[in-house]
Amino acid sequence: MTRVAAVDCGTNSIRLLVADADPATGELVDLDRRMTIVRLGQGVDRTGRLAPEALERTFAACREYAEVVKEHGAERLRFVATSASRDAENRDEFVRGVIDILGVEPEVITGDQEAEFSFTGATKELTGRQDLAKPYLVVDIGGGSTEFVVGDDHVRAARSVDVGCVRMTERHLVHDGEVSDPPTERQVAAMRADIEAALDLAERTVPLREAHTLVGLAGSVTTVSAIAQELPEYDSARIHHSRVPYERVREITDWLLRSTHAERAAIGAMHPGRVDVIGAGALVLLSIMERTGAREVVVSEHDILDGIAWSVA
């Protein structure tokens, strides 16, 4: 066993995994897994820069994570940064802050690298499952981008496109500085058109319709699963490898896009940081299912974070 630590810093959240990894058996045993909503990508689509308050929220989480890594005595740490820090003009400020706190340089990876990590994390433990036909289409719906990967035992094709729950919300659902409550039909239609154009782009590289099993990752997908199961609170064990039919995803997405902030916030399994962006994230998932003809989505709690951990091990 090798004790490793992995940090995934995305547009909406930053996550830590400390685990014991055994490459010989493919076993990854969690010691600590946590997530903090920091909204690092706040305003990046509009300004091209990381906001000072977003950086401070992220650095505060990094300081907490540094204590956890030290407490568990992880032998190796890898910090991967995704969409927001890839796009920002002042990403050097972000890099210096992470080095000062955690002692490692964040790797601002490409969308293709992000997709490979997501695929490994999501599918490594599906090996041998007879009920899930290959090839898989793994979709990681993040805050700023969505990664598409098709593969069986290995990645065959991957593409990252700039549609995510935060980016779509800020681009289409904000009016006079406030998220529309609920959004108008025109706003939803504009967002849908943007998502469809991104799917056209993804499909130039990735054969989306050839996959037999759709595997969905990240907070938008896991939250839809929690709502579908009517969980009173977020329950990772019940969400992991749950299967949500297309009809249920459509019903939930329609409701989320008609609901008010207060109605969404009242959902027991809803993280407060997702209340305003979950409608956009659900619409991305629904659009993918419609494009591919998937009758269900297999939901995975294991994703890019687990892929990063395996890359360290």
Side-chain angles (χ1 to χ4, degrees):
M1 287 283 193
T2 302
R3 183 158 295 182
V4 297
V7 176
D8 167 37
C9 185
T11 302
N12 195 44
S13 64
I14 183 170
R15 300 180 302 145
L16 169 71
L17 171 62
V18 181
D20 285 333
D22 186 347
T25 64
E27 186 179 18
L28 194 67
V29 180
D30 289 12
L31 300 173
D32 199 304
R33 187 187 290 260
R34 60 183 68 193
M35 183 269 288
T36 310
I37 299 286
V38 294
R39 200 67 64 84
L40 178 62
Q42 172 193 330
V44 166
D45 195 49
R46 178 176 51 83
T47 67
R49 295 180 63 82
L50 298 169
E53 60 270 29
L55 283 168
E56 184 45 47
R57 289 192 298 267
T58 304
F59 293 155
C62 287
R63 285 188 280 271
E64 174 193 329
Y65 291 178
E67 290 299 318
V68 175
V69 171
K70 181 179 179 182
E71 177 185 329
H72 284 290
E75 299 169 41
R76 305 173 190 167
L77 167 65
R78 188 171 191 179
F79 188 115
V80 166
T82 53
S83 182
S85 51
R86 216 173 29 233
D87 300 339
E89 294 173 6
N90 61 332
R91 64 185 186 185
D92 288 348
E93 186 178 347
F94 165 71
V95 169
R96 287 195 303 272
V98 172
I99 292 173
D100 288 346
I101 297 166
L102 284 164
V104 295
E105 182 171 345
E107 299 174 54
V108 183
I109 62 175
T110 66
D112 287 345
Q113 287 175 300
E114 195 172 336
E116 296 239 8
F117 284 145
S118 295
F119 186 82
T120 300
T123 64
K124 197 171 183 70
E125 62 185 352
L126 299 181
T127 303
R129 287 277 297 265
Q130 300 301 313
D131 57 328
L132 299 177
K134 297 176 183 178
Y136 308 116
L137 168 60
V138 175
V139 294
D140 188 341
I141 303 172
S145 62
T146 295
E147 283 64 56
F148 297 85
V149 198
V150 165
D152 29 56
D153 297 323
H154 302 285
V155 172
R156 283 170 37 189
R159 183 69 182 261
S160 176
V161 294
D162 284 339
V163 290
C165 60
V166 175
R167 194 185 295 268
M168 290 297 95
T169 299
E170 291 188 349
R171 185 178 293 174
H172 297 291
L173 305 186
V174 174
H175 182 68
D176 291 335
E178 299 290 334
V179 177
S180 296
D181 192 27
T184 66
E185 289 185 11
R186 179 176 292 183
Q187 286 176 312
V188 173
M191 181 165 62
R192 166 77 89 157
D194 217 356
I195 294 168
E196 292 295 335
L199 289 174
D200 290 342
L201 193 62
E203 207 160 15
R204 293 180 193 173
T205 308
V206 180
L208 302 181
R209 302 169 210 242
E210 291 182 14
H212 296 304
T213 298
L214 174 65
V215 182
L217 317 181
S220 292
V221 181
T222 58
T223 301
V224 166
S225 173
I227 296 171
Q229 297 181 66
E230 299 181 357
L231 299 180
E233 59 186 21
Y234 196 93
D235 186 337
S236 180
R238 291 185 62 182
I239 290 168
H240 188 49
H241 288 174
S242 60
R243 298 159 85 150
V244 186
Y246 163 77
E247 292 79 8
R248 194 75 177 104
V249 174
R250 180 173 51 78
E251 290 169 4
I252 291 167
T253 303
D254 289 346
W255 181 83
L256 288 170
L257 292 171
R258 294 195 314 269
S259 64
T260 65
H261 177 97
E263 288 171 331
R264 295 189 300 276
I267 298 170
M270 179 78 70
H271 190 288
R274 298 203 186 279
V275 174
D276 285 334
V277 301
I278 184 61
L283 185 59
V284 173
L285 173 61
L286 178 66
S287 301
I288 292 167
M289 296 184 78
E290 290 176 347
R291 176 66 66 101
T292 61
R295 303 314 304 165
E296 67 175 7
V297 57
V298 178
V299 182
S300 179
E301 285 275 12
H302 293 182
D303 51 26
I304 186 174
L305 192 60
D306 301 76
I308 297 166
W310 277 116
S311 74
V312 180

